[in-house]
Amino acid sequence: MFDVKAMEIDQLLVKDIMSPPSLTATKSDTVSDIISKMKKNKVREIPVLEDGKPVGLVSYASFLQRRNVPLSARVEHIMVPCPKLEEDMKLTKAAEEIMSAGVRGAPVVRNHKMVGFVSRTDIVRMLPSVDALKDRVVNAFMSTQVQTVNEDETIRKAQVLMRGLNEKTLPVVDEASILIGAVGMTEVMEVMWTNKAGKPPNEIKGSDRGPAEIRVGSVMSRTPVSIRPSDTVSKAVATMMDRGLTTLFVTEPNGKLVGVVSHADLMEQVIGLKPREGVYVQLAGIEAEDPEVYDTLYDLIGKAMKRIDRIEAPRVFSVHSTTHNHEGMRAKHSVSGRLTTEHNMYYAHAVNWDLFKTVDELLDQLEKNVKKEHERRVSQKKGKSGSS
């Protein structure tokens, strides 16, 4: 077994931590086959092979993104593209590939054929052995812009939020923001796998018009797992592995929810260690078919990061967007951003009817926050030098 303690993270290769190939699917398998495999083996994604070569990935996201999926449908009609990782690829590069593709794992290939699989769990598992990360406190990188639901809201609402948050488990809170439960993909899928007129389930209901109006409180887990803001990466990872979780809630001693730590948050910490020129950008929840939308967004982000780089070097920038309050052909955009720099982590939130204006407002807020923090540090240094 490979000993990660013997190497720095920038020396680790994909082949050092990959799992041997196990569960796979073919393009001719049915949705029913895949659902059975996922539930039986408690996995969220399965690679699709053709003559031993990976051609796609089928995951819970495949169902979330579609209106209605017949259980008799073939996998080839719902699979999504996935990155193909080479055995000798640096692990930090593999983490970036997985996150950029918005998947939870990817097949490893040799001569184009699958020889293994690397998941977010495989990467996160070894973080307690990484000196640069193991003692980092949760408060320094947790997501504080937390999407929540309450007991009386519907599974449909939870489904829509998960779609924008890359399937994260959602915390359920009361009116005082006290954590009282959790609702995850397992609960949502059980509801989406609907009955019709008393007949056995025959389709996955993935649209906003289904699933049924079932309350979150009736299906949620009432034993959510939480950690404290002062806990470390090592404690967070140990808790995740012990409980088989991909999301942990961060609470104060009184139970008040103050943040969330997910596999994605931990993966960003890994990506932030990769030597690079420029900043790694992750966009989630933006539903646009026109490539020019993304070109414009990356242009806005690129210009803002260049300005910020004059003050403090940016490393990772994550954007989560949700839409709501539809009026005719328009929708209001709610965008949250998190910027990790060489010294700090910054958050911002903006809402607007125009997506580009919303992101521009978000970037402006972040730039102001970085300037304000830089001025504070400079002033603090001057104070210390003046008193000596």
Side-chain angles (χ1 to χ4, degrees):
M1 182 70 179
F2 181 79
D3 182 9
V4 296
K5 294 181 181 179
M7 299 182 75
E8 296 294 328
I9 193 168
D10 61 354
Q11 295 176 293
L12 287 172
L13 304 178
V14 164
K15 64 184 178 183
D16 296 326
I17 70 160
M18 71 181 189
S19 303
S22 54
L23 285 177
T24 62
T26 67
K27 293 196 294 184
S28 61
D29 284 340
T30 65
V31 168
S32 180
D33 296 331
I34 294 300
I35 291 293
S36 295
K37 284 185 180 182
M38 286 181 169
K39 293 178 71 173
K40 180 181 178 181
N41 296 279
K42 297 181 179 179
V43 298
R44 293 182 177 224
E45 68 282 296
I46 297 178
V48 183
L49 305 186
E50 186 173 33
D51 296 327
K53 299 177 181 179
V55 293
L57 196 73
V58 61
S59 69
Y60 283 143
S62 305
F63 309 122
L64 282 179
Q65 302 298 335
R66 288 164 174 78
R67 289 190 174 275
N68 299 319
V69 182
L71 293 180
S72 59
R74 289 158 61 101
V75 163
E76 65 181 320
H77 299 306
I78 64 164
M79 67 184 188
V80 297
C82 66
K84 300 171 187 64
L85 309 176
E86 298 285 345
E87 287 182 290
D88 294 325
M89 180 183 287
K90 289 284 185 73
L91 190 60
T92 48
K93 173 63 175 174
E96 188 173 280
E97 292 279 333
I98 289 171
M99 288 291 286
S100 295
V103 296
R104 292 177 174 271
V108 182
V109 298
R110 181 193 305 142
N111 296 325
H112 306 292
K113 293 201 172 185
M114 181 175 173
V115 294
F117 193 84
V118 168
S119 68
R120 294 185 190 183
T121 300
D122 294 323
I123 296 173
V124 167
R125 182 182 287 116
M126 58 83 184
L127 297 190
S129 299
V130 178
D131 287 337
L133 294 178
K134 64 182 182 180
D135 295 324
R136 189 168 294 180
V137 294
V138 166
N139 190 50
F141 65 89
M142 68 183 186
S143 297
T144 57
Q145 302 281 348
V146 185
Q147 295 272 17
T148 65
V149 289
N150 62 52
E151 283 187 276
D152 294 324
E153 290 181 302
T154 65
I155 285 294
R156 178 184 300 167
K157 167 90 177 277
Q159 173 202 342
V160 171
L161 290 176
M162 284 181 186
R163 189 166 57 197
L165 296 172
N166 291 332
E167 306 171 57
K168 283 184 183 177
T169 299
L170 290 172
V172 185
V173 298
D174 64 14
E175 62 277 1
S177 295
I178 301 299
L179 180 68
I180 60 173
V183 59
M185 276 304 307
T186 300
E187 291 79 24
V188 169
M189 284 299 296
E190 288 293 338
V191 175
M192 289 169 65
W193 196 0
T194 58
N195 291 328
K196 272 192 173 183
K199 296 179 181 179
N202 61 4
E203 67 180 347
I204 300 294
K205 300 285 287 184
S207 73
D208 292 340
R209 294 178 295 176
E213 299 290 335
I214 295 177
R215 291 175 58 252
V216 165
S218 67
V219 298
M220 74 181 192
S221 165
R222 294 186 180 273
T223 55
V225 179
S226 64
I227 54 176
R228 298 284 181 259
S230 58
D231 286 335
T232 63
V233 163
S234 293
K235 173 69 178 293
V237 171
T239 303
M240 284 178 166
M241 297 301 140
D242 183 55
R243 304 295 290 271
L245 301 171
T246 60
T247 303
L248 289 176
F249 307 120
V250 186
T251 60
E252 298 289 3
N254 65 355
K256 184 176 181 180
L257 181 71
V258 294
V260 170
V261 171
S262 69
H263 276 189
D265 298 314
L266 291 166
M267 291 280 283
E268 284 187 7
Q269 298 304 299
V270 174
I271 292 169
L273 296 177
K274 179 188 174 187
R276 70 173 67 248
E277 292 183 7
V279 59
Y280 170 77
V281 177
Q282 175 74 19
L283 301 179
I286 295 174
E287 300 178 4
E289 297 181 1
D290 187 349
E292 290 188 8
V293 171
Y294 293 96
D295 290 342
T296 303
L297 289 174
Y298 281 118
D299 185 54
L300 285 172
I301 293 168
K303 289 177 180 177
M305 292 302 125
K306 285 182 180 179
R307 295 194 299 269
I308 289 172
D309 191 41
R310 296 174 191 146
I311 310 166
E312 193 171 318
R315 290 182 175 175
V316 180
F317 178 51
S318 300
V319 177
H320 291 283
S321 175
T322 56
T323 57
H324 52 89
N325 294 345
H326 288 266
E327 285 187 5
M329 299 296 290
R330 297 200 310 162
K332 183 171 283 188
H333 300 275
S334 176
V335 180
S336 297
R338 179 173 68 183
L339 174 65
T340 303
T341 69
E342 59 183 338
H343 297 300
N344 228 319
M345 188 170 288
Y346 303 89
Y347 297 90
H349 182 75
V351 179
N352 200 297
W353 290 101
D354 183 282
L355 176 61
F356 301 134
K357 287 183 179 179
T358 312
V359 173
D360 203 32
E361 290 172 11
L362 178 85
L363 293 166
D364 185 57
Q365 288 180 41
L366 286 170
E367 187 176 352
K368 288 177 179 177
N369 291 342
V370 173
K371 285 180 179 178
K372 185 176 180 180
E373 175 61 19
H374 175 71
E375 290 168 358
R376 186 195 66 79
R377 286 200 305 270
V378 169
S379 177
Q380 192 176 49
K381 285 182 181 179
K382 286 182 178 178
K384 287 182 179 179
S385 61
S387 60
S388 58

